[in-house]
């Protein structure tokens, strides 16, 4: 990997799961990581886990609040003077309800966190990366296997992840003028608190109406993939990468 010493990264949703795994991998790779999320205690736990391998700064931020997002980027520039990497990771899902029972409020909450927040974060990152010296940087969006194929009762989540693919392509194109590379990592069945239901009880609903438990992979594999993408020189880019549990029911028909 390229030397990332003194490079500055922001990871949203850094307190748990994939965000924590990516933060630790980036610290290991030499990045100073701004750990962003709503729960300070969880961010501090991530910071403590990474103390022996790298540097980080916990900053509370609510991805549903544009003013809070703006403050996150302002704090980063104030503390470090630049931004080299943004990992748009924070996300949420709606309750698994029949399509016709999903409320407008539930839909909007998912759109606000999963799509509008990455849009706003990317705008802030563009402005910083465009104007800094040396110019440029990298943005990685957390997509999902749902960006390719939905699960039952996941209209809001799946729609936002398909939209993230569009945001990735459009911002990658618009970022060329400023030496900004944008890519996406689509993740399937990483072992995080969000996917615990996959291995407990009856498991998760399948398209044929049955439920079953599904294989998962260590979230560290995802963190390492993010670190690989982050460490590329800016004249190279991973536009889309899929990292998934080998035996999950995605490829094929079950």
């Amino acid at each position: 990997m390229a030397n990332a010493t003194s490079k500055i990264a922001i990871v949203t949703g850094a307190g748990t799961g994939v965000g924590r795994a990516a933060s630790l991998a980036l610290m290991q790779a030499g990045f100073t990581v701004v750990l962003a999320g709503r729960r300070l205690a969880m961010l501090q736990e991530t910071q403590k886990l990474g103390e022996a391998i790298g540097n980080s700064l916990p900053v509370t931020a609510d991805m549903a609040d544009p003013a809070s997002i703006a403050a996150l980027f302002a704090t980063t520039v104030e503390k470090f003077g630049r931004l080299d990497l943004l990992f748009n990771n924070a996300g949420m899902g709606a309750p698994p309800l029949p399509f016709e029972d999903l409320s407008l409020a539930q839909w909007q909450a998912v759109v606000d966190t999963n799509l509008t927040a990455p849009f706003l974060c990317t705008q802030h990152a563009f402005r910083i990366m465009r104007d800094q010296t040396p110019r440029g940087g990298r943005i990685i969006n957390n997509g999902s296997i749902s960006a390719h194929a939905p699960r039952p009762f996941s209209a809001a989540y799946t729609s936002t992840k398909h939209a993230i693919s569009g945001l990735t392509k459009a911002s990658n194109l618009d970022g060329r003028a400023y030496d900004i590379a944008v890519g996406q990592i689509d993740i399937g069945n990483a072992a995080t608190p969000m996917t615990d239901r996959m291995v407990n009880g009856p498991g998760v609903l399948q398209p044929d109406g049955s439920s079953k438990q599904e294989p998962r992979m260590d979230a560290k594999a995802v963190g390492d993939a993010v670190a690989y993408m982050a460490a590329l020189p800016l004249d190279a880019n991973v536009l889309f990468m899929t990292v998934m549990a080998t035996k999950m029911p995605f490829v094929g028909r079950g």
Side-chain angles (χ1 to χ4, degrees):
M1 287 193 205
N3 185 4
T5 302
S6 299
K7 289 192 174 182
I8 308 303
I10 292 175
V11 176
T12 66
T16 59
V18 166
R20 174 173 287 177
S23 297
L24 295 175
L26 290 168
M27 281 186 257
Q28 182 74 57
F31 284 82
T32 295
V33 182
V34 178
L35 307 168
R38 290 177 299 147
R39 296 173 292 175
L40 181 59
M42 300 303 292
L43 301 176
Q44 290 173 330
E45 187 175 319
T46 301
Q47 181 184 41
K48 186 173 182 180
L49 289 169
E51 279 179 346
I53 57 174
N55 300 317
S56 62
L57 174 69
V59 177
T60 54
D62 183 353
M63 291 297 109
D65 181 356
S68 183
I69 291 172
L72 165 66
F73 285 83
T75 296
T76 300
V77 172
E78 179 184 349
K79 295 286 187 183
F80 302 109
R82 64 178 293 109
L83 176 65
D84 299 284
L85 174 71
L86 166 65
F87 181 31
N88 279 317
N89 166 71
M92 64 172 290
L97 298 170
F99 183 87
E100 65 274 20
D101 295 332
L102 186 70
S103 72
L104 178 59
Q106 289 168 324
W107 168 271
Q108 289 179 326
V110 176
V111 171
D112 286 348
T113 299
N114 292 9
L115 181 57
T116 303
F119 161 72
L120 292 173
C121 288
T122 297
Q123 278 197 323
H124 286 291
F126 258 52
R127 296 180 187 120
I128 296 167
M129 293 172 176
R130 176 195 63 193
D131 296 338
Q132 66 191 7
T133 304
R135 187 177 72 172
R138 187 178 304 276
I139 298 166
I140 302 172
N141 294 322
N142 185 342
S144 172
I145 291 291
S146 293
H148 304 273
R151 288 185 179 275
F153 301 155
S154 68
Y157 184 82
T158 296
S159 296
T160 58
K161 292 305 182 180
H162 275 71
I164 283 293
S165 295
L167 178 65
T168 296
K169 293 175 184 177
S171 56
N172 178 71
L173 183 60
D174 293 346
R176 289 180 183 178
Y178 311 124
D179 300 316
I180 298 171
V182 184
Q184 179 170 322
I185 184 165
D186 294 328
I187 303 163
N189 288 20
T192 69
M194 183 181 288
T195 63
D196 283 345
R197 62 194 176 91
M198 293 182 177
V199 293
N200 293 327
V204 289
L205 184 65
Q206 304 296 309
D208 65 0
S210 65
S211 294
K212 72 174 184 178
Q213 295 187 1
E214 295 186 7
R216 300 191 298 174
M217 62 177 170
D218 192 330
K220 182 179 183 300
V222 181
D224 291 343
V226 171
Y228 164 74
M229 295 170 72
L232 289 171
L234 289 180
D235 62 358
N237 186 41
V238 174
L239 183 62
F240 291 99
M241 176 188 287
T242 300
V243 182
M244 55 178 278
T246 304
K247 296 181 180 181
M248 68 174 290
F250 171 62
V251 178
R253 304 191 181 200

